[in-house]
Amino acid sequence: MINDEQAVEIFKALSNQIRVNILQMLKEPDNNFSPQAHVIKEKGFDGGVCVSDIHSKVGLSQSTTSQYLYILLQSGLVEMKRIGQWTYYRRNEETIKQFEKYIGLKI
């Protein structure tokens, strides 16, 4: 279950529209990104999207995109996996569900 400290980090991560947009795009990766060939070969990380594809979609510098993804990762809203030389991100649905429950209990 999400505690108050974790919730604050999630709220901080969600305080930026681009980070919210990234989460929304990652909700339906097949509709928002090209097929992820390396993830298909590596079982167990379905829905993962290469950081370069995310970068292309958001239209920010690569360093800013990476910083935003790191903030989302630190908050627990996304998961990351390196496959070869590529880094992939996907939503952490378990944390998102726990956060939804947390909000429901607090509001």
Side-chain angles (χ1 to χ4, degrees), residues 7-10 13 15-16 33 35 45-46 48-50 54 56 65 68 85 92 101 103-104:
V8 168
E9 291 306 311
I10 292 171
S15 69
N16 176 284
F33 300 98
F45 207 68
D46 295 337
V49 177
C50 185
I54 297 169
S56 295
T65 302
Y68 282 4
Q85 65 189 31
N92 184 339
K101 287 180 187 176
I103 291 173

Side-chain angles (χ1 to χ4, degrees), residues 50-102:
C50 185
V51 68
S52 63
D53 288 343
I54 297 169
H55 161 68
S56 295
K57 277 282 196 179
V58 297
L60 299 173
S61 70
Q62 187 166 353
S63 63
T64 300
T65 302
S66 294
Q67 180 185 21
Y68 282 4
L69 288 167
Y70 180 76
I71 290 167
L72 291 169
L73 181 66
Q74 290 300 110
S75 73
L77 292 171
V78 299
E79 302 171 300
M80 182 216 33
K81 183 169 188 172
R82 288 195 52 83
I83 301 173
Q85 65 189 31
W86 296 276
T87 303
Y88 291 84
Y89 287 87
R90 70 177 179 190
R91 286 167 49 111
N92 184 339
E93 296 298 340
E94 183 59 33
T95 297
I96 292 169
K97 286 177 191 172
Q98 288 178 10
F99 184 62
E100 288 172 348
K101 287 180 187 176
Y102 174 89

